[in-house]
Amino acid sequence: MRLVDAQMIPQVLLELAQQFGLLSFLAIGGVNALIPDIHRRVVDMEHWMTDAQFSQAFAISQASPGPNMLIVSVIGWNVYGFVGALVATLAICLPSSVLTYGVAHVWNRFRDAPLRSAIQRGLAPVTVGLILASGYVLVRATDSTWVAYALTGATTLLALTTRIQPLWFLLAAGALGALGVA
Amino acid sequence: MNDSIPSAPPLAVSCTDLFIGFLKVGMSGFGGVMPFARRMLVEERRWLSEREFTEVLSLSQFLPGPNIINVSVIVGSRFAGPVGSLAASLGLMLMPFLIVLVLAALYARFDALAAVRGATASVSSAATGLIVAMGLRMAQPLMGTGWQVAIAALGFVALALLRLPLLWALLAIAPVSVACAWWTRK
């Protein structure tokens, strides 16, 4: 039994590393565009988390200061504690960073190439589609009551039409939620 | 590192400087720290000019991976090579990584409390609204161009409704989109 356990442990870490390592290369437009695929892998395929846990991980990552890729750290933490968080975070950061380091040194040669600008212009609408898909997947995972839908809708509307800092929305929502209003 | 982008700077910036500079950036913003990175790099420490920052940012967005990490890697490499990249990206990630794990641990400890569950659920709903708003705002400039709207719609349908793996969706959609951009280039 112990032998089986010992073999199981690195297996999960290996899978974390593999799943997020691949996503690192696919993260055009940042980690926010990855949410549908992260959700598909983590909830639907691997069953590492439920919808509710995924939604909680998203909330925790958004309530932390720092880059918006922290949802990956929280997922890693849920799967295998501190080591899982470390592995998942390194996996999402390292492959793309190595690529970036390499490309930064030859970038000057391609800066004005027409193909480069076509790639950049071509990827922009793809990214928009992915971010909107992220919003859809998050609504499905997060909102189940009409109050929750209203909160998402109101935040969307206010974020689009005002210049209020995002943190205030999260604080206000947290207060409403803690009081049991929303 | 003379051929790194942008061209070699006259400034001497050590790995410690890089680590500290990005450490502060990492702790400053919620839901994205790019504006704080710009302020630190361009206004406070003047490691980059405005134009150089734009250049670094556009390369970071062009390449895959978390954009802000790419910025730290490029800036670090520019001043101190691979160790500089490591110092800058470690500085950026260290505190947010620890803080988010403390929050996750606190949540796991107190999730039996109705107030904590309620607050977390509502924060998630609001944060979801922020992502939807970001997507809609990014969609606005595409609206005049038919093929761009079609590509964005395809991406949405593939990932949100059909739940296709991102890899296959990208392999199918991205080349078509880049080809459209190529044909319509000025």
Side-chain angles (χ1 to χ4, degrees):
Chain A
M1 200 59 205
R2 281 202 65 85
L3 197 73
V4 175
D5 281 350
Q7 284 168 345
M8 294 280 289
I9 291 164
Q11 188 61 33
V12 161
L13 290 179
L14 229 59
E15 272 177 40
L16 268 177
Q18 188 199 331
Q19 298 275 11
F20 287 113
L22 172 65
L23 284 175
S24 180
F25 286 122
L26 302 181
I28 59 158
V31 173
N32 278 335
L34 287 182
I35 284 175
D37 209 47
I38 293 177
H39 181 272
R40 188 184 64 85
R41 287 164 189 269
V42 169
V43 178
D44 297 347
M45 284 172 57
E46 303 283 354
H47 303 290
W48 283 335
M49 305 168 99
T50 62
D51 255 347
Q53 288 171 321
F54 187 85
S55 161
Q56 285 149 11
F58 173 67
I60 291 166
S61 69
Q62 296 293 308
S64 302
N68 47 26
M69 43 125 333
L70 291 171
I71 185 173
V72 173
S73 311
V74 183
I75 291 169
W77 188 84
N78 266 279
V79 173
Y80 202 74
F82 183 81
V83 179
L86 203 60
V87 167
T89 309
L90 283 176
I92 197 84
C93 293
L94 210 55
S96 57
S97 293
V98 171
L99 180 70
T100 297
Y101 185 85
V103 171
H105 289 82
V106 293
W107 181 243
N108 277 337
R109 270 177 257 165
F110 300 105
R111 198 164 34 186
D112 300 319
L115 182 60
R116 193 202 62 84
S117 93
I119 291 174
Q120 200 153 9
R121 222 158 56 84
L123 291 184
V126 182
T127 303
V128 170
L130 297 184
I131 303 258
L132 288 171
S134 293
Y136 178 86
V137 167
L138 285 168
V139 167
R140 293 292 301 264
T142 296
D143 297 342
S144 51
T145 63
W146 71 265
V147 184
Y149 280 108
L151 196 55
T152 300
T155 310
T156 304
L157 209 65
L158 285 171
L160 280 175
T161 53
T162 67
R163 298 181 58 99
I164 302 170
Q165 289 297 310
L167 180 60
W168 293 114
F169 292 114
L170 304 185
L171 284 174
L176 288 175
L179 296 172
V181 182
Chain B
M1 295 305 142
N2 282 1
D3 54 347
S4 64
I5 70 131
S7 54
L11 278 147
V13 177
S14 71
C15 288
T16 316
D17 296 337
L18 287 164
F19 182 83
I20 302 279
F22 277 99
L23 189 76
K24 285 182 186 157
V25 169
M27 287 188 291
S28 42
F30 288 78
V33 295
M34 199 58 85
F36 300 92
R38 198 202 69 87
R39 186 184 298 166
M40 186 275 283
L41 290 166
V42 179
E43 290 167 25
E44 288 171 13
R45 296 183 181 245
R46 299 178 189 238
W47 289 345
L48 301 176
S49 70
E50 193 76 56
R51 197 189 62 83
E52 286 168 334
F53 177 77
T54 307
E55 196 113 295
V56 169
L57 181 61
S58 95
L59 175 56
S60 300
Q61 290 171 332
F62 175 74
L63 292 169
N67 294 336
I68 183 67
I69 308 254
N70 287 346
V71 167
S72 70
V73 166
I74 297 170
V75 173
S77 91
R78 180 189 180 204
F79 290 108
V83 187
S85 292
L86 209 61
S89 51
L90 261 181
L92 179 70
M93 284 307 298
L94 184 65
M95 290 315 290
F97 178 73
L98 294 178
I99 291 170
V100 85
L101 291 191
V102 167
L103 282 183
L106 282 175
Y107 181 79
R109 176 84 178 69
F110 294 109
D111 73 333
L113 299 177
V116 173
R117 290 197 89 90
T120 309
S122 295
V123 166
S124 193
S125 291
T128 295
L130 293 176
I131 300 275
V132 175
M134 178 201 286
L136 293 175
R137 201 177 303 122
M138 288 171 71
Q140 276 167 1
L142 310 180
M143 280 311 166
T145 317
W147 69 267
Q148 292 190 322
V149 175
I151 292 288
L154 261 180
F156 178 82
V157 170
L159 269 293
L161 305 182
L162 303 178
R163 306 305 315 266
L164 294 179
L166 179 60
L167 178 62
W168 305 128
L170 279 183
L171 285 176
I173 299 171
V176 177
S177 190
V178 171
C180 288
W182 178 258
W183 284 321
T184 58
R185 73 187 189 276
K186 290 171 195 96

